[in-house]
Amino acid sequence: MVAAVTLLRPPHQLTATVLGAGTMGAQIAAHLANAGIHTYLLDIVPKGASGKQRNALAAGAMKMMAKATAAAKMPPYMDGAFASRITVGNFDDDLERAVATSDLVVEAVVERLDIKVSLFQRVANAAPGTAILASNTSGLSIGSIAAGLPEEVRPRVVGMHFFNPPRFMHLLEVVPAATTAAEVTAELCEFSDRVLGKGVVVCRDTPNFIGNRIGTGEMLLTFEATAAGNYTIEEIDLLNGPLMGRPRTGSFRLADMVGVDILGHVIHNLADGLSGEPGTENYDELHAKMVVPEMLAKMIAAKRLGDKTGGGFYRKGRDAKGNRVIESIDLETLEYRAQEPPVFPELAPVARIFDTAERVRAAIRAEGRAGEFLRKVYLPLFNYAANRLGEICDDPKQLDDAMRWGYGWELGPFALWDAVGVAWGVEQLEKMGVEPAANARALVEAQGADARWYGGRPSAPTVFIPGKGEAAIATPAGMILLDAAADRPGAVLHSNKTARLIDIGDGVACCEFRSPKMNILDDGVLAMLREAVPTLEKIGGFRGLVIGDQSAHFCAGADLRRILKWASEGDFDALGGAVSELQDTLMDLRHGAMPVVAAPHGRTFGGGVEVCLHTAAIQADAELYMGLVEAGVGLLPAGGGLKELARRAAAWAAQVPGTSPYASIRRAFETVGGGKVSSSAYEARNLGLLGHDDRITFHRSRVIADAKRRVIGLAEAGWTPPDRDEPIAVIGAPEGCSLMLGAQMFEWGGYISAHDKRIGEKIAHVLSGGMTQTATTVRAQDLLDLEREAFCSLAGEAKTQARIEHMLKTKKPLRN
């Protein structure tokens, strides 16, 4: 037994120390700060440094993170103010003092076992007996680190491997050594899930754990197939991209992001830790391939290391006219050249398949160079993964979760094998002269031609574990999975093509958006929003509604194609009618008979924001990219978004008698006029899109369950809908004119176009309450009428229609 560990307390009561202020250490510290934990960030003392310069490495890392956060380029902080939760220091002056007060210590220094062991010995002497001592090593043995420590400390030593960048990558590998106490592993897992919002996978203490072991195996197979088939890097990144349910970065763009030298280091580390001799410990059938390819070695020697050196497999530059271009490296000459768009005619029909599993099944069977590459890489990869079961993890789901959460794959290797057909894959491996994994043969022998690693129903899923057979996949406590909830008999209360109403228990239902195009507000979604509460009232026994889904993004807003069609045809009756219908639908949500809680996550734009603004409360995912972005397509929010911002500004001002709502109105004007999008839920709060009473959940799979609890709390507190005709204080022309002037000055300064100014003036007109002669009060409907009039007016302008058309074609805004 070990002394009771202490991580399961409110985050603000915890203290952590991160040792090493490099890329990973600094960003781990930032994410701990995001979660509300006071954190020490320490590094070595630079040679010859004195005074404040003794903390220069940690302080420099803080400056870099502040700069990245301000620029909104993969910002480590969810709110720049969270940097105040970090205290910098150095190993010589501050390590013992910081560690002595810490509940968690995370080591993130250079990947050398001797350095890590020496540092851990100091930590062990200083840390309280309740602290968890973790290493962020990406592949060194946790047992080897623990072995050099006192016996009473070893039970609290564990691997805690974040993926880069720590804030954004969902995976966290928790790696217990043989000496790690089970209760330490369990508590670290729960803390990492609930407090840090991570997808936790428990790994065995083997070289490179799960994610990097399988990811490197895939890269080695890709290198081999690339050379054998003389493929270009553009061709490979297409084949290893969304076609196979993987990120657009593919393989070579990913290598540039991670670092070409890091990839070489990982290959060396694997080769050193594994064996190519069958029957020996740590035998790996790919060991002979674990050699840094010649082209990779030359790139490393030439410092072509990827993004951090300005060029790797790709390089950003400018052409003769000064235009930005991206060049690609020629794998034979290692010289940069203009990009060559990949062409695979055989994939044309495959690319049109929306369902990932069906698309993968067709792609890997394709004739020609594309299918040949996919079969040479993915079938051996599936086999490699199957051979690792019982070695690096216990079951297929752990390995699949690691690849989905750490590498951004939609489907892990076993789910991909199910998609292409396990029996077919075994047959193809035999034809290729590759010995199928015994675990795969066992599955086929047990289940026959239709063998699958995953089975059961969404409400009772199973996974095949070699030697044990099918085992149930449990849903973690405190999570609601909507597909599983909908699979229960009678749970789907109402549905159409793009939305459904699901009973999620305890008298609460969920209105789930299911549009394949980023959940736009199409006819099905709007119909469900209108009908959800009346349906629940008719059924009876329900006390509230959650609006949410578990796709990649909450809602991209309105259907721009329909808006463009009506506007270009001059059918403003249809356009105005659609806007009125949206306004009425959302007003009914806000003023309905039961509390409604929105659960936004990911991209939440335009009309999606307006849905949230009309609910009783918001339970947001911390990774929320929220913005009223209509100005980018020449429009303004007309589903009640401006009305709600004006109403909220008036309500906040009313808390201090005699205060004007102008400050909040100006913030709203700048937010909407600039089309600002939050980089997190905390920034959405700073922009006024979330209120101070709205709540934030760190784990994306817990948002729906937390929103449900919020509904229950509102209902039990005695929900009373707000007055539909409540008076709203508006600033009128006296202060509204300053907004107009601001737009004019921005045009004079060349920051915005004349059309941008016109949009800004329309926004100011609505937010001010119609530029009334004096500050006064209006009703919600008055503001809605102003929104609708301004929206239809802008939609009729040629420049707005050009913006919409450009956005639909290029996915980028046009500033005309």
Side-chain angles (χ1 to χ4, degrees):
M1 294 291 292
V2 297
V5 286
T6 58
L7 293 184
L8 299 183
R9 291 183 286 139
H12 69 274
Q13 296 180 9
L14 298 175
T15 299
T17 295
V18 177
L19 304 174
T23 299
M24 285 301 292
Q27 293 194 59
I28 290 169
H31 194 59
L32 292 169
N34 288 336
I37 300 167
H38 176 247
T39 303
Y40 291 97
L41 176 61
L42 312 181
D43 210 315
I44 61 173
V45 176
K47 189 175 181 179
S50 61
K52 290 184 178 180
Q53 288 303 309
R54 293 175 67 80
N55 300 336
L57 294 182
M62 293 287 287
K63 289 180 181 178
M64 291 294 291
M65 292 194 296
K67 183 177 180 180
T69 300
K73 293 182 178 179
M74 299 296 280
Y77 299 113
M78 293 180 177
D79 184 330
F82 294 167
S84 64
R85 296 170 179 169
I86 299 178
T87 301
V88 298
N90 65 74
F91 292 169
D92 291 357
D93 302 328
D94 306 300
L95 187 145
E96 279 73 18
R97 175 176 57 84
V99 166
T101 61
S102 292
D103 304 288
L104 172 68
V105 179
V106 182
E107 168 273 311
V109 299
V110 65
E111 287 287 89
R112 277 182 48 183
L113 183 61
D114 59 333
I115 293 176
K116 290 181 185 290
V117 169
S118 175
L119 190 58
F120 263 92
Q121 288 171 343
R122 288 185 62 187
V123 170
N125 290 332
T130 57
I132 290 180
L133 312 182
S135 173
N136 182 56
T137 177
S138 60
L140 296 178
S141 168
I142 303 302
S144 297
I145 294 173
L149 303 178
E151 187 173 348
E152 66 274 13
V153 175
R154 295 175 197 169
R156 294 183 284 114
V157 177
V158 63
M160 191 180 186
H161 181 216
F162 291 83
F163 275 61
N164 190 25
R167 170 187 162 184
F168 294 98
M169 298 309 296
H170 191 51
L171 177 63
L172 178 70
E173 293 181 322
V174 172
V175 190
T179 53
T180 305
E183 57 266 36
V184 168
T185 302
E187 180 147 334
L188 183 60
C189 288
E190 188 168 358
F191 164 81
S192 301
D193 173 321
R194 292 184 178 272
V195 178
L196 301 184
K198 292 301 176 185
V200 178
V201 174
V202 178
C203 311
R204 295 191 182 183
D205 190 10
T206 58
N208 289 65
F209 314 135
I210 297 177
N212 286 342
R213 179 79 171 269
I214 301 301
T216 305
E218 179 273 318
M219 186 62 87
L220 292 169
L221 292 167
T222 288
F223 283 155
E224 183 179 60
T226 299
N230 197 29
Y231 294 88
T232 67
I233 64 172
E234 295 96 332
E235 288 177 324
I236 298 308
D237 281 354
L238 182 144
L239 294 171
N240 278 347
L243 176 74
M244 297 296 287
R246 292 174 57 178
R248 295 185 183 278
T249 50
S251 295
F252 292 105
R253 179 70 191 102
L254 176 63
D256 278 355
M257 293 171 64
V258 171
V260 175
D261 55 331
I262 299 299
L263 179 58
H265 170 77
V266 170
I267 294 172
H268 279 305
N269 187 58
L270 270 180
D272 292 344
L274 298 171
S275 166
E277 292 294 326
T280 60
E281 185 180 6
N282 286 334
Y283 166 69
D284 190 297
E285 66 270 27
L286 294 185
H287 189 266
K289 304 181 192 297
M290 292 175 185
V291 177
V292 177
E294 183 181 1
M295 59 90 178
L296 200 69
K298 289 182 177 179
M299 289 177 66
I300 294 171
K303 301 298 181 184
R304 294 179 175 178
L305 307 181
D307 292 353
K308 59 189 173 184
T309 59
F313 290 104
Y314 294 96
R315 182 177 70 178
K316 293 180 180 179
R318 294 186 182 275
D319 61 17
K321 297 181 179 179
N323 298 316
R324 290 186 178 183
V325 295
I326 298 178
E327 299 174 310
S328 305
I329 205 165
D330 185 296
L331 292 177
E332 291 188 359
T333 66
L334 296 185
E335 297 295 328
Y336 289 104
R337 54 163 174 76
Q339 286 197 309
E340 299 174 356
V343 179
F344 294 109
E346 65 270 31
L347 293 181
V350 177
R352 291 192 290 269
I353 302 173
F354 179 78
D355 181 80
T356 302
E358 292 178 9
R359 186 173 64 251
V360 167
R361 182 181 181 88
I364 205 166
R365 286 170 167 78
E367 298 295 331
R369 295 175 71 241
E372 183 179 357
F373 171 85
L374 295 175
R375 288 187 290 275
K376 283 185 176 180
V377 171
Y378 285 91
L379 293 177
L381 176 66
F382 301 160
N383 208 50
Y384 183 68
N387 276 328
R388 305 281 77 76
L389 293 177
E391 176 192 344
I392 65 175
C393 60
D394 298 328
D395 65 66
K397 189 175 184 301
Q398 291 173 297
L399 194 148
D400 276 3
D401 284 346
M403 296 308 294
R404 290 192 303 113
W405 297 338
Y407 283 77
W409 293 18
E410 290 182 44
L411 303 172
F414 293 100
L416 284 170
W417 204 346
D418 278 354
V420 306
V422 178
W424 178 84
V426 167
E427 180 183 321
Q428 295 300 310
L429 285 166
E430 290 174 335
K431 290 180 179 179
M432 294 165 63
V434 177
E435 177 64 25
N439 290 328
R441 285 193 184 278
L443 173 61
V444 174
E445 289 172 3
Q447 297 184 5
D450 296 325
R452 298 180 60 86
W453 294 101
Y454 294 100
R457 298 173 56 86
S459 57
T462 61
V463 62
F464 181 85
I465 302 177
K468 297 181 180 179
E470 286 193 74
I473 299 175
T475 299
M479 288 188 189
I480 294 175
L481 304 181
L482 291 177
D483 283 344
D487 188 54
R488 293 182 288 106
V492 177
L493 307 171
H494 187 27
S495 67
N496 58 45
K497 287 184 178 180
T498 56
R500 62 184 176 183
L501 186 63
I502 307 167
D503 181 353
I504 56 175
D506 300 310
V508 180
C510 180
C511 175
E512 180 192 22
F513 301 168
R514 294 169 60 81
S515 169
K517 296 180 180 179
M518 280 186 63
N519 291 329
I520 60 172
L521 296 177
D522 62 12
D523 286 342
V525 170
L526 290 172
M528 192 59 66
L529 287 173
R530 280 195 306 274
E531 298 163 8
V533 172
T535 298
L536 298 181
E537 290 180 308
K538 183 177 179 180
I539 294 172
F542 285 89
R543 50 184 172 175
L545 176 70
V546 170
I547 299 176
D549 65 85
Q550 291 174 326
S551 61
H553 304 289
F554 178 73
C555 179
D559 185 346
L560 287 178
R561 294 186 186 279
R562 296 185 67 185
I563 293 172
L564 180 61
K565 179 178 183 297
W566 285 325
S568 61
E569 293 175 353
D571 191 353
F572 293 102
D573 287 340
L575 180 58
V579 172
S580 292
E581 187 174 46
L582 173 61
Q583 292 176 340
D584 291 344
T585 297
L586 299 187
M587 284 288 282
D588 288 344
L589 285 178
R590 172 167 164 74
H591 302 284
M594 59 179 63
V596 180
V597 173
H601 62 280
R603 293 177 186 169
T604 303
F605 297 157
V609 179
E610 292 176 305
V611 170
C612 297
L613 291 176
H614 283 83
T615 58
I618 297 174
Q619 186 75 45
D621 180 14
E623 295 299 344
L624 177 66
Y625 317 123
M626 176 180 264
L628 290 164
V629 296
E630 288 86 349
V633 289
L635 298 168
L636 51 65
L642 295 180
K643 177 268 296 181
E644 271 302 296
L645 293 180
R647 184 195 65 77
R648 291 178 177 212
W652 293 331
Q655 295 176 12
V656 182
T659 301
S660 166
Y662 173 75
S664 295
I665 290 294
R666 179 176 175 175
R667 178 179 64 178
F669 175 73
E670 294 172 349
T671 297
V672 178
K676 294 181 180 179
V677 176
S678 70
S679 62
S680 71
Y682 294 97
E683 189 178 5
R685 180 176 284 158
N686 294 339
L687 293 175
L689 300 176
L690 295 189
H692 295 294
D693 293 333
D694 293 325
R695 298 175 184 172
I696 297 170
T697 299
F698 254 60
H699 197 299
R700 62 193 183 198
S701 294
R702 296 188 179 278
V703 178
I704 296 293
D706 287 350
K708 173 186 170 181
R709 281 190 284 273
R710 192 76 194 278
V711 168
I712 293 171
L714 289 169
E716 291 182 345
W719 166 253
T720 301
D723 180 5
R724 200 178 187 104
D725 294 316
E726 63 180 322
I728 300 171
V730 293
I731 60 175
E735 291 182 304
C737 64
S738 72
L739 304 181
M740 296 284 194
L741 179 60
Q744 181 65 74
M745 292 181 68
F746 263 67
E747 186 202 9
W748 285 338
Y751 298 106
I752 62 175
S753 68
H755 194 52
D756 289 324
K757 185 192 76 168
R758 181 162 175 76
I759 298 165
E761 290 172 343
K762 295 278 189 181
I763 294 169
H765 186 77
V766 177
L767 286 173
S768 69
M771 294 296 285
T772 54
Q773 290 186 355
T774 62
T776 184
T777 60
V778 298
R779 297 177 307 119
Q781 190 59 52
D782 297 325
L783 293 173
L784 293 174
D785 291 343
L786 291 171
E787 281 187 0
R788 184 175 63 256
E789 178 184 354
F791 184 91
C792 290
S793 172
L794 288 170
E797 299 201 18
K799 288 186 176 181
T800 287
Q801 293 174 25
R803 288 190 179 193
I804 297 174
E805 189 171 3
H806 188 268
M807 177 63 75
L808 290 171
K809 287 182 178 180
T810 68
K811 309 299 183 187
K812 296 178 181 179
L814 171 67
R815 290 297 183 190
N816 54 357

